[in-house]
Amino acid sequence: MKDNRILIIEDEESICDILSYALRKEGYTVKYSNTGSKGVLLIETFNPDLIILDIMLPDTNGFNICKDVNRKYRLPIIMLTARNDIVDKVLGLELGADDYITKPFDIRELTARVKTILRRIGQSSDSTLKNIIYIDENIYINTNSRTVYKDEEEIKLKPKEYDLLLYFSLNKDRVFTREELLDKVWDFNYEGDLRTVDVHVQRIRKKLDYTSSSIIETVFGIGYKMGRG
Ligand code: CA
């Protein structure tokens, strides 16, 4: 196995101790932080492959970190929830956590989940992972090669179709007007009319073989948005 690095952000010292002991025994390099702010710094300096993240932290809550990590780094996250709280779980998963585990947890179960996630991402190797953006569970973008895959098959997009899809995927849940999209995705001085946006959206939907209500959604009277897949 590669030397995978795991970052634990958790304020309970005893949990950090148990977890890092168990994970080091499995061959992982482990660091932990008892606060959210130090944890965020460690993401930069320690460059982890996976984060185990507590929700209730002294200086912030794990959801904020999760949202941030998912936006900037797209690292896999396992959330630790204190209670068997379905709201926490759903919120965590919506914010981009890959998995959650309820405290008190079985340490073997947690290490098994860590292994599963790292194996899954290991197939694309960690250097390319950061260049992969998931649109939903079947479709992803490889920003290195500017390619789009659906069910592991490459979908050929024209450059502007690709740019538009990428722009939406980096701004999920945000509604854009056609004017904004023309401005952001096309050249600033592009003289095209607003129909250009519609045509591109339709082509993307068609190529990805999705109905008009999904992938890039029409927000009636305003424009378009991409929901969380
Ligand atoms: Ca806590």
Side-chain angles (χ1 to χ4, degrees), residues 127-145:
S127 64
T128 60
L129 175 72
K130 286 166 193 168
N131 305 306
I132 301 288
I133 296 174
Y134 282 91
I135 290 175
D136 65 15
E137 50 190 21
N138 306 313
I139 301 177
Y140 65 86
I141 298 175
N142 183 329
T143 57
N144 256 359
S145 54

Side-chain angles (χ1 to χ4, degrees), residues 209-223:
D209 196 21
Y210 269 72
T211 61
S212 56
S213 60
S214 54
I215 290 290
I216 298 170
E217 300 163 33
T218 302
V219 181
F220 190 71
I222 306 175

Side-chain angles (χ1 to χ4, degrees), residues 15-225:
I15 293 184
C16 291
D17 284 344
I18 297 166
L19 268 180
S20 32
Y21 176 77
L23 291 167
R24 280 179 189 135
K25 224 169 66 180
E26 296 288 331
Y28 300 114
T29 304
V30 183
K31 278 197 179 177
Y32 64 80
S33 161
N34 301 129
T35 64
S37 53
K38 200 183 131 209
V40 169
L41 284 179
L42 277 173
I43 297 174
E44 292 283 351
T45 54
F46 176 52
N47 194 19
D49 299 294
L50 181 142
I51 301 172
I52 297 172
L53 178 62
D54 185 29
I55 292 180
M56 302 291 278
L57 293 163
D59 56 338
T60 180
N61 78 51
F63 294 129
N64 291 332
I65 298 180
C66 187
K67 207 159 67 182
D68 231 40
V69 166
N70 197 46
R71 194 160 41 90
K72 285 196 211 141
Y73 308 97
R74 317 205 67 86
L75 286 170
I77 297 175
I78 298 178
M79 300 281 275
L80 294 178
T81 71
R83 300 147 287 157
N84 202 354
D85 189 337
I86 190 74
V87 176
D88 282 358
K89 288 175 187 171
V90 170
L91 188 55
L93 294 175
E94 275 181 0
L95 291 175
D98 292 80
D99 205 350
Y100 56 82
I101 200 155
T102 309
K103 290 193 265 188
F105 52 82
D106 182 314
I107 190 73
R108 283 163 306 181
E109 191 190 344
L110 193 124
T111 47
R113 301 235 195 139
V114 166
K115 261 188 218 163
T116 306
I117 291 178
L118 288 174
R119 194 184 325 121
R120 208 171 70 207
I121 65 165
Q123 287 159 358
S124 56
S125 99
D126 45 350
S127 64
T128 60
L129 175 72
K130 286 166 193 168
N131 305 306
I132 301 288
I133 296 174
Y134 282 91
I135 290 175
D136 65 15
E137 50 190 21
N138 306 313
I139 301 177
Y140 65 86
I141 298 175
N142 183 329
T143 57
N144 256 359
S145 54
R146 286 179 59 94
T147 44
V148 178
Y149 292 86
K150 183 185 176 191
D151 300 326
E152 299 304 329
E153 288 210 17
E154 189 184 339
I155 306 290
K156 299 258 181 234
L157 294 185
K158 297 248 168 66
K160 278 297 167 219
E161 294 163 6
Y162 171 87
D163 292 342
L164 185 61
L165 185 69
L166 179 66
Y167 190 70
F168 276 117
S169 68
L170 294 172
N171 295 283
K172 282 189 177 178
D173 277 344
R174 262 191 65 187
V175 181
F176 293 102
T177 63
R178 291 167 178 81
E179 287 89 343
E180 281 172 320
L181 291 167
L182 262 191
D183 201 43
K184 300 281 186 206
V185 178
W186 277 262
D187 291 335
F188 187 66
N189 291 319
Y190 183 72
E191 297 275 313
D193 66 86
L194 301 177
R195 278 283 302 154
T196 308
V197 176
D198 299 329
V199 169
H200 280 75
V201 167
Q202 280 157 22
R203 284 199 201 128
I204 292 170
R205 284 174 178 162
K206 197 165 167 221
K207 287 185 180 179
L208 292 176
D209 196 21
Y210 269 72
T211 61
S212 56
S213 60
S214 54
I215 290 290
I216 298 170
E217 300 163 33
T218 302
V219 181
F220 190 71
I222 306 175
Y224 296 104
K225 77 160 192 178

